Coordinates of all heavy atoms in Angstrom, one line a residue:
Y34 N 132.7 150.8 79.9 CA 131.6 151.0 80.8 C 131.4 152.5 81.2 O 130.3 153.0 81.2 CB 131.8 150.2 82.0 CG 130.7 150.2 83.0 CD1 129.5 149.4 82.9 CD2 130.7 151.1 84.1 CE1 128.5 149.5 83.8 CE2 129.7 151.2 85.0 CZ 128.6 150.5 84.8 OH 127.5 150.6 85.7
D35 N 132.5 153.1 81.5 CA 132.4 154.5 81.9 C 131.8 155.4 80.8 O 131.0 156.3 81.1 CB 133.8 155.1 82.2 CG 134.4 154.5 83.5 OD1 133.6 154.0 84.3 OD2 135.6 154.6 83.7
L36 N 132.1 155.1 79.5 CA 131.6 155.9 78.4 C 130.1 155.6 78.2 O 129.3 156.5 78.0 CB 132.4 155.6 77.1 CG 132.0 156.3 75.9 CD1 132.1 157.8 76.1 CD2 132.8 155.8 74.7
F37 N 129.8 154.3 78.1 CA 128.4 153.9 77.7 C 127.4 153.8 78.8 O 126.2 153.9 78.6 CB 128.5 152.6 77.0 CG 129.0 152.6 75.6 CD1 130.3 152.6 75.3 CD2 128.1 152.8 74.5 CE1 130.8 152.8 74.0 CE2 128.5 152.9 73.2 CZ 129.9 152.9 73.0
S38 N 127.8 153.8 80.1 CA 126.9 153.6 81.2 C 126.2 155.0 81.5 O 125.1 155.0 82.2 CB 127.6 153.2 82.5 OG 128.5 154.1 83.0
K39 N 126.6 156.1 80.9 CA 125.9 157.3 81.1 C 124.6 157.3 80.4 O 123.7 158.1 80.7 CB 126.7 158.4 80.4 CG 128.1 158.7 81.0 CD 128.9 159.6 80.2 CE 130.3 159.7 80.7 NZ 131.2 160.3 79.8
Y40 N 124.3 156.4 79.6 CA 123.1 156.3 78.8 C 122.1 155.2 79.2 O 121.0 155.1 78.7 CB 123.4 156.2 77.3 CG 124.2 157.3 76.8 CD1 125.7 157.1 76.7 CD2 123.7 158.5 76.6 CE1 126.5 158.2 76.3 CE2 124.5 159.6 76.2 CZ 125.9 159.4 76.1 OH 126.7 160.5 75.7
G41 N 122.5 154.5 80.3 CA 121.6 153.5 80.8 C 122.3 152.3 81.5 O 123.5 152.3 81.5
R42 N 121.5 151.4 82.0 CA 122.1 150.3 82.7 C 122.6 149.2 81.7 O 121.8 148.7 80.9 CB 121.0 149.7 83.6 CG 121.5 148.8 84.7 CD 120.5 148.6 85.7 NE 119.2 148.3 85.1 CZ 118.4 147.3 85.5 NH1 118.7 146.4 86.3 NH2 117.2 147.2 84.8
I43 N 123.8 148.9 81.9 CA 124.4 147.9 81.0 C 124.4 146.5 81.6 O 124.7 146.3 82.8 CB 125.9 148.3 80.7 CG1 126.0 149.6 79.9 CG2 126.6 147.2 79.9 CD1 127.3 150.1 79.7
F44 N 123.9 145.6 80.8 CA 123.8 144.2 81.3 C 125.1 143.4 81.0 O 125.5 142.7 81.9 CB 122.6 143.5 80.5 CG 122.4 142.1 80.9 CD1 121.9 141.7 82.1 CD2 122.7 141.1 79.9 CE1 121.7 140.4 82.4 CE2 122.5 139.8 80.3 CZ 122.0 139.4 81.5
Q45 N 125.7 143.7 79.9 CA 126.9 142.9 79.6 C 127.8 143.7 78.5 O 127.2 144.4 77.7 CB 126.6 141.6 79.1 CG 127.7 140.6 78.8 CD 127.2 139.3 78.4 OE1 126.6 139.2 77.4 NE2 127.5 138.3 79.2
I46 N 129.1 143.5 78.6 CA 130.1 144.1 77.6 C 131.0 142.9 77.2 O 131.5 142.2 78.1 CB 130.9 145.2 78.2 CG1 130.0 146.4 78.6 CG2 132.0 145.6 77.2 CD1 130.8 147.5 79.3
R47 N 131.1 142.7 75.9 CA 132.0 141.7 75.4 C 133.0 142.4 74.5 O 132.6 143.0 73.5 CB 131.3 140.7 74.6 CG 130.4 139.8 75.4 CD 131.2 138.6 75.9 NE 130.4 137.8 76.8 CZ 130.2 136.5 76.5 NH1 130.7 135.9 75.5 NH2 129.5 135.8 77.4
I48 N 134.3 142.4 74.8 CA 135.3 143.0 74.0 C 136.0 141.9 73.1 O 136.3 140.8 73.5 CB 136.4 143.6 74.8 CG1 135.8 144.7 75.7 CG2 137.5 144.2 74.0 CD1 136.8 145.4 76.6
G49 N 136.1 142.3 71.8 CA 136.8 141.4 70.9 C 138.3 141.3 71.2 O 138.9 142.3 71.5
F50 N 138.9 140.1 71.1 CA 140.3 139.9 71.4 C 141.0 139.1 70.3 O 142.3 139.1 70.4 CB 140.4 139.2 72.8 CG 139.8 137.8 72.8 CD1 140.5 136.7 72.4 CD2 138.5 137.7 73.2 CE1 139.9 135.4 72.4 CE2 137.9 136.4 73.2 CZ 138.6 135.3 72.8
T51 N 140.4 138.6 69.3 CA 141.1 138.0 68.2 C 141.6 139.0 67.2 O 141.2 140.2 67.3 CB 140.2 137.0 67.5 OG1 139.2 137.7 66.8 CG2 139.6 136.0 68.5
S52 N 142.4 138.6 66.3 CA 142.9 139.6 65.2 C 141.7 140.1 64.4 O 141.8 141.3 63.9 CB 143.9 138.9 64.4 OG 143.3 137.8 63.7
V53 N 140.7 139.4 64.3 CA 139.5 139.9 63.5 C 138.6 140.8 64.3 O 138.1 141.8 63.8 CB 138.7 138.7 63.0 CG1 137.4 139.1 62.3 CG2 139.5 137.8 62.0
T54 N 138.4 140.5 65.6 CA 137.4 141.2 66.4 C 138.1 142.3 67.3 O 137.3 143.1 67.9 CB 136.6 140.3 67.3 OG1 137.6 139.6 68.2 CG2 135.9 139.3 66.5
K55 N 139.4 142.4 67.4 CA 140.0 143.4 68.2 C 139.6 144.8 67.8 O 139.6 145.0 66.6 CB 141.5 143.2 68.2 CG 142.2 143.8 69.3 CD 143.6 143.2 69.5 CE 144.3 143.9 70.6 NZ 144.4 143.1 71.8
G56 N 139.4 145.7 68.7 CA 138.9 147.0 68.4 C 137.4 147.1 68.2 O 136.9 148.1 67.8
S57 N 136.7 146.1 68.7 CA 135.2 146.1 68.6 C 134.7 145.5 69.9 O 135.4 144.8 70.7 CB 134.7 145.3 67.4 OG 135.0 143.9 67.6
C58 N 133.4 145.8 70.2 CA 132.8 145.2 71.3 C 131.3 145.0 71.1 O 130.7 145.7 70.2 CB 133.1 145.9 72.6 SG 132.2 147.5 72.8
I59 N 130.6 144.3 71.9 CA 129.2 144.1 72.0 C 128.8 144.7 73.3 O 129.3 144.3 74.4 CB 128.8 142.7 71.9 CG1 129.3 142.1 70.6 CG2 127.3 142.5 72.0 CD1 128.5 142.5 69.3
I60 N 127.8 145.6 73.4 CA 127.2 146.1 74.6 C 125.7 145.7 74.7 O 125.0 146.0 73.7 CB 127.4 147.6 74.7 CG1 128.9 147.9 74.6 CG2 126.8 148.2 76.0 CD1 129.2 149.4 74.5
I61 N 125.3 145.1 75.7 CA 123.9 144.8 75.9 C 123.3 145.7 77.0 O 123.8 145.7 78.1 CB 123.7 143.3 76.3 CG1 124.4 142.4 75.2 CG2 122.2 143.0 76.4 CD1 124.4 141.0 75.6
Y62 N 122.3 146.5 76.7 CA 121.6 147.3 77.6 C 120.4 146.6 78.2 O 120.0 145.6 77.7 CB 121.2 148.6 76.9 CG 122.3 149.6 76.8 CD1 123.1 149.7 75.7 CD2 122.5 150.6 77.9 CE1 124.1 150.7 75.6 CE2 123.5 151.5 77.8 CZ 124.3 151.6 76.7 OH 125.3 152.5 76.6
S63 N 119.9 147.2 79.3 CA 118.7 146.6 79.9 C 117.4 146.9 79.1 O 116.5 146.0 79.1 CB 118.5 147.2 81.3 OG 119.6 146.8 82.1
T64 N 117.4 148.0 78.4 CA 116.2 148.3 77.6 C 116.6 148.8 76.2 O 117.7 149.3 76.0 CB 115.3 149.4 78.3 OG1 116.1 150.7 78.2 CG2 115.0 149.1 79.7
N65 N 115.6 148.7 75.3 CA 115.8 149.2 74.0 C 116.0 150.8 74.0 O 116.8 151.2 73.2 CB 114.5 148.9 73.1 CG 114.2 147.5 73.0 OD1 115.0 146.7 73.4 ND2 113.0 147.2 72.5
K66 N 115.3 151.5 74.8 CA 115.4 152.9 74.9 C 116.8 153.3 75.3 O 117.4 154.3 74.7 CB 114.4 153.5 75.9 CG 114.3 154.9 76.0 CD 113.2 155.4 76.9 CE 113.1 156.9 77.0 NZ 112.1 157.3 77.9
E67 N 117.4 152.6 76.2 CA 118.8 153.0 76.6 C 119.8 152.7 75.5 O 120.7 153.6 75.2 CB 119.2 152.1 77.9 CG 118.4 152.5 79.1 CD 118.5 151.5 80.2 OE1 118.9 150.3 79.9 OE2 118.3 151.9 81.4
A68 N 119.6 151.6 74.8 CA 120.5 151.3 73.7 C 120.3 152.3 72.6 O 121.4 152.8 72.0 CB 120.2 149.9 73.1
S69 N 119.1 152.7 72.3 CA 118.9 153.8 71.2 C 119.5 155.1 71.6 O 120.0 155.8 70.8 CB 117.4 153.9 71.0 OG 116.9 152.8 70.5
L70 N 119.4 155.5 72.9 CA 120.0 156.7 73.3 C 121.5 156.7 73.2 O 122.1 157.7 72.7 CB 119.6 157.0 74.8 CG 120.1 158.3 75.4 CD1 119.5 159.5 74.6 CD2 119.6 158.4 76.9
A71 N 122.1 155.6 73.6 CA 123.5 155.5 73.5 C 124.0 155.6 72.0 O 125.0 156.2 71.6 CB 124.1 154.2 74.1
L72 N 123.2 154.9 71.1 CA 123.5 154.9 69.7 C 123.4 156.3 69.1 O 124.4 156.7 68.5 CB 122.5 153.9 69.0 CG 122.6 153.9 67.5 CD1 123.9 153.3 67.0 CD2 121.4 153.1 67.0
A73 N 122.4 157.0 69.4 CA 122.2 158.3 68.9 C 123.2 159.3 69.5 O 123.7 160.2 68.8 CB 120.8 158.8 69.2
S74 N 123.6 159.1 70.7 CA 124.5 160.1 71.3 C 126.0 159.8 71.0 O 126.7 160.8 71.0 CB 124.3 160.0 72.9 OG 123.0 160.3 73.2
L75 N 126.4 158.6 70.8 CA 127.8 158.3 70.7 C 128.3 157.9 69.3 O 129.5 157.9 69.0 CB 128.2 157.2 71.6 CG 128.1 157.6 73.1 CD1 128.4 156.3 74.0 CD2 129.1 158.7 73.5
S76 N 127.4 157.6 68.4 CA 127.8 157.2 67.1 C 128.4 158.3 66.3 O 127.9 159.4 66.2 CB 126.6 156.7 66.3 OG 127.0 156.1 65.0
G77 N 129.7 158.1 65.9 CA 130.4 159.1 65.1 C 131.2 160.1 66.0 O 131.9 160.9 65.5
K78 N 131.1 159.9 67.3 CA 131.8 160.8 68.2 C 133.3 160.3 68.4 O 133.6 159.1 68.2 CB 131.2 160.7 69.7 CG 129.8 161.2 69.7 CD 129.7 162.6 69.5 CE 128.3 163.1 69.6 NZ 128.0 164.4 69.2
L79 N 134.2 161.3 68.6 CA 135.6 161.0 68.7 C 135.8 160.5 70.1 O 135.4 161.1 71.1 CB 136.4 162.3 68.5 CG 137.8 162.2 68.3 CD1 138.2 161.3 67.1 CD2 138.5 163.6 68.2
F80 N 136.5 159.4 70.2 CA 136.9 158.8 71.5 C 138.3 158.3 71.4 O 138.6 157.4 70.6 CB 135.9 157.7 71.9 CG 136.3 157.0 73.1 CD1 136.2 157.6 74.3 CD2 136.8 155.7 73.1 CE1 136.5 156.9 75.5 CE2 137.1 155.0 74.2 CZ 136.9 155.6 75.5
K81 N 139.2 158.9 72.2 CA 140.7 158.5 72.1 C 141.2 158.5 70.7 O 141.8 157.6 70.2 CB 140.9 157.2 72.8 CG 140.6 157.2 74.3 CD 141.1 156.0 74.9 CE 141.0 156.2 76.4 NZ 141.8 155.3 77.1
N82 N 140.9 159.6 70.0 CA 141.4 159.8 68.6 C 140.9 158.9 67.6 O 141.5 158.7 66.5 CB 143.0 159.8 68.5 CG 143.6 160.9 69.3 OD1 143.0 162.1 69.4 ND2 144.6 160.7 70.0
K83 N 139.7 158.3 67.9 CA 139.0 157.4 66.9 C 137.6 157.7 66.9 O 137.0 157.9 68.0 CB 139.3 155.9 67.3 CG 140.7 155.5 67.1 CD 140.8 154.0 67.3 CE 141.8 153.5 66.3 NZ 141.6 152.3 65.6
Y84 N 137.0 157.7 65.7 CA 135.5 158.0 65.6 C 134.8 156.6 65.8 O 135.0 155.6 65.1 CB 135.2 158.6 64.3 CG 135.7 160.0 64.1 CD1 136.9 160.3 63.4 CD2 134.9 161.0 64.7 CE1 137.3 161.6 63.3 CE2 135.4 162.3 64.6 CZ 136.6 162.6 63.9 OH 137.0 163.9 63.9
L85 N 133.9 156.6 66.8 CA 133.1 155.4 67.1 C 132.2 155.1 66.0 O 131.4 156.0 65.5 CB 132.3 155.6 68.4 CG 133.2 155.8 69.7 CD1 132.3 156.1 70.9 CD2 134.1 154.6 69.9
V86 N 132.1 153.8 65.7 CA 131.1 153.3 64.7 C 130.2 152.4 65.5 O 130.6 151.4 66.0 CB 131.7 152.5 63.5 CG1 130.7 152.0 62.6 CG2 132.7 153.5 62.8
I87 N 128.9 152.8 65.7 CA 128.0 152.0 66.5 C 126.8 151.6 65.7 O 126.1 152.5 65.0 CB 127.5 152.8 67.7 CG1 128.8 153.3 68.5 CG2 126.6 152.0 68.6 CD1 128.4 154.3 69.6
L88 N 126.4 150.4 65.7 CA 125.3 149.8 65.0 C 124.4 148.9 65.9 O 124.9 148.4 66.9 CB 125.8 148.9 63.8 CG 126.8 149.6 62.9 CD1 127.5 148.4 62.1 CD2 126.1 150.5 62.0
L89 N 123.1 148.8 65.6 CA 122.3 147.8 66.3 C 122.8 146.4 65.8 O 123.0 146.2 64.6 CB 120.9 148.0 66.0 CG 120.1 149.1 66.7 CD1 118.7 149.2 66.2 CD2 120.1 148.9 68.2
F90 N 123.0 145.5 66.7 CA 123.5 144.2 66.4 C 122.5 143.5 65.6 O 121.3 143.6 65.8 CB 123.8 143.5 67.7 CG 124.3 142.1 67.5 CD1 125.7 142.0 67.2 CD2 123.6 141.0 67.6 CE1 126.2 140.7 67.0 CE2 124.1 139.7 67.4 CZ 125.4 139.6 67.1
K91 N 122.9 142.8 64.6 CA 122.1 141.9 63.7 C 122.6 140.6 63.6 O 123.8 140.4 63.6 CB 121.9 142.6 62.4 CG 121.2 143.9 62.4 CD 120.8 144.4 61.1 CE 120.2 145.8 61.3 NZ 119.5 146.2 60.2
L92 N 121.8 139.6 63.5 CA 122.2 138.2 63.3 C 122.5 137.9 61.9 O 122.1 138.5 61.0 CB 121.1 137.2 63.8 CG 120.8 137.2 65.3 CD1 119.7 136.2 65.6 CD2 122.1 136.8 66.0

Side-chain angles (χ1 to χ4, degrees):
Y34 182 83
D35 289 343
L36 179 64
F37 283 86
S38 66
K39 297 171 189 168
Y40 302 97
R42 196 165 42 131
I43 294 175
F44 179 70
Q45 187 176 61
I46 297 173
R47 293 272 178 124
I48 297 178
F50 60 89
T51 68
S52 60
V53 175
T54 61
K55 202 160 177 103
S57 66
C58 75
I59 302 285
I60 301 172
I61 304 173
Y62 277 92
S63 296
T64 68
N65 301 352
K66 186 177 180 180
E67 294 167 338
S69 295
L70 181 61
L72 174 67
S74 300
L75 294 174
S76 189
K78 298 292 182 187
L79 190 63
F80 177 69
K81 294 194 171 197
N82 296 322
K83 294 191 144 219
Y84 290 99
L85 296 176
V86 177
I87 306 173
L88 307 164
L89 283 174
F90 184 79
K91 296 189 182 198
L92 292 177

